Amino acid sequence: MNFLLETLRLIVLTICYHLEAFLKVIVPQRRKNVSGEIVLITGAGSGIGRLMALEFAPLDVSLVLWDINVDGLKETAKQVKEKGVSRVHYYQCDCSDREVVYRVADQVKREIGDVTILINNAGIVSGKRFMDTPDALVEKTFRVNALSHFWTYKAFLPAMTNKNHGHLVSVASSAGLIGVNGLADYCASKFAAMGFAESVALELIAAGKEAIKTTIVCPYFINTGMFDGCGT
């Protein structure tokens, strides 16, 4: 009986979600106005981080770019400025190191102001089988992909809470929804990022801070170099 009910529920939800998607094609939702916002993107030196910076460039925002790779940051900043944007600031930051995150966050607040859109995008992947993954690499994966979100939230959420204004974005992964062969440490870290982001979102609602929006993004394999050689 439970199997039949679950199957029926799946069919009904599938139909509803398809209808919702169809309606949004006909009547697109109004896009969020980000003009004047201070947008911080971690992992902005390459990949999705760079692509997001380029998308934000023409939207009248102040861009704050973080990455451990300075050369990558300089290239992203260069490409953004070529779009005519002048309010671009970049900082070298090892997001896996809590003290470094807090120190650079304080520098950003002094020099730029309170971040109003935080995009936790920085991530690493080992691509090794579980038993072949060194302990240090497992810990590094968790520090970058999950624990760094704790430190950036701690650094920037208080100002958002005080003003009841802001947006928290977690670039997680479809690997945070289902286990994948050869990605045990990566999947576990992304599951953690998902759980953390969802829990904080509920805390904000319970605290009456509904004006602080939250978004969790779960991409599949993306051709940015991070998953070169992977297949399905």
Side-chain angles (χ1 to χ4, degrees):
M1 179 60 73
N2 286 339
F3 173 76
L4 292 175
L5 289 175
E6 288 296 322
T7 302
L8 180 61
R9 179 172 179 270
L10 175 62
I11 293 170
V12 171
L13 286 175
T14 300
I15 293 171
C16 290
Y17 288 141
H18 276 81
L19 287 173
E20 180 184 14
F22 179 71
L23 288 173
K24 286 180 178 179
V25 170
I26 299 174
V27 185
Q29 289 183 308
R30 185 166 59 90
R31 299 186 70 182
K32 180 185 179 76
N33 181 8
V34 297
S35 178
E37 305 285 0
I38 298 178
V39 182
L40 189 151
I41 304 172
T42 68
S46 62
I48 294 176
R50 177 176 293 170
L51 294 173
M52 283 192 292
L54 292 171
E55 289 294 322
F56 272 107
L59 301 181
D60 189 32
V61 301
S62 293
L63 275 175
V64 181
L65 312 176
W66 279 14
D67 204 297
I68 196 171
N69 180 356
V70 176
D71 291 336
L73 279 176
K74 290 179 178 178
E75 178 59 27
T76 300
K78 173 177 173 289
Q79 292 185 26
V80 169
K81 288 177 180 177
E82 287 173 352
K83 287 180 169 282
V85 180
S86 59
R87 290 177 295 169
V88 183
H89 315 270
Y90 62 87
Y91 299 81
Q92 183 180 30
C93 183
D94 180 357
C95 291
S96 70
D97 189 319
R98 180 183 68 234
E99 296 306 320
V100 172
V101 169
Y102 288 160
R103 174 173 54 78
V104 180
D106 286 340
Q107 186 179 356
V108 168
K109 285 183 276 189
R110 287 195 310 269
E111 297 176 358
I112 315 300
D114 291 325
V115 169
T116 53
I117 298 179
L118 171 63
I119 303 177
N120 278 313
N121 165 73
I124 60 171
V125 60
S126 66
K128 298 179 181 293
R129 294 179 182 274
F130 168 64
M131 291 304 295
D132 296 329
T133 309
D135 292 350
L137 189 52
V138 172
E139 293 176 354
K140 181 78 170 182
T141 299
F142 270 87
R143 287 200 302 271
V144 175
N145 294 355
L147 285 177
S148 66
H149 298 197
F150 285 70
W151 318 142
T152 56
Y153 273 40
K154 287 262 188 174
F156 298 115
L157 184 55
M160 295 185 192
T161 302
N162 289 338
K163 299 173 183 176
N164 194 21
H165 173 79
H167 202 136
L168 300 168
V169 181
S170 174
V171 180
S173 171
S174 57
L177 301 170
I178 187 170
V180 181
N181 175 39
L183 292 176
D185 58 335
Y186 182 80
C187 288
S189 68
K190 291 299 186 178
F191 267 81
M194 286 275 297
F196 171 69
E198 288 185 343
S199 295
V200 173
L202 292 173
E203 281 190 18
L204 290 169
I205 293 172
K209 301 296 181 180
E210 290 91 347
I212 302 175
K213 305 303 180 182
T214 60
T215 302
I216 302 174
V217 187
C218 294
Y220 192 58
F221 290 146
I222 293 181
N223 186 23
T224 57
M226 190 172 180
F227 287 94
D228 284 352
C230 290
T232 58

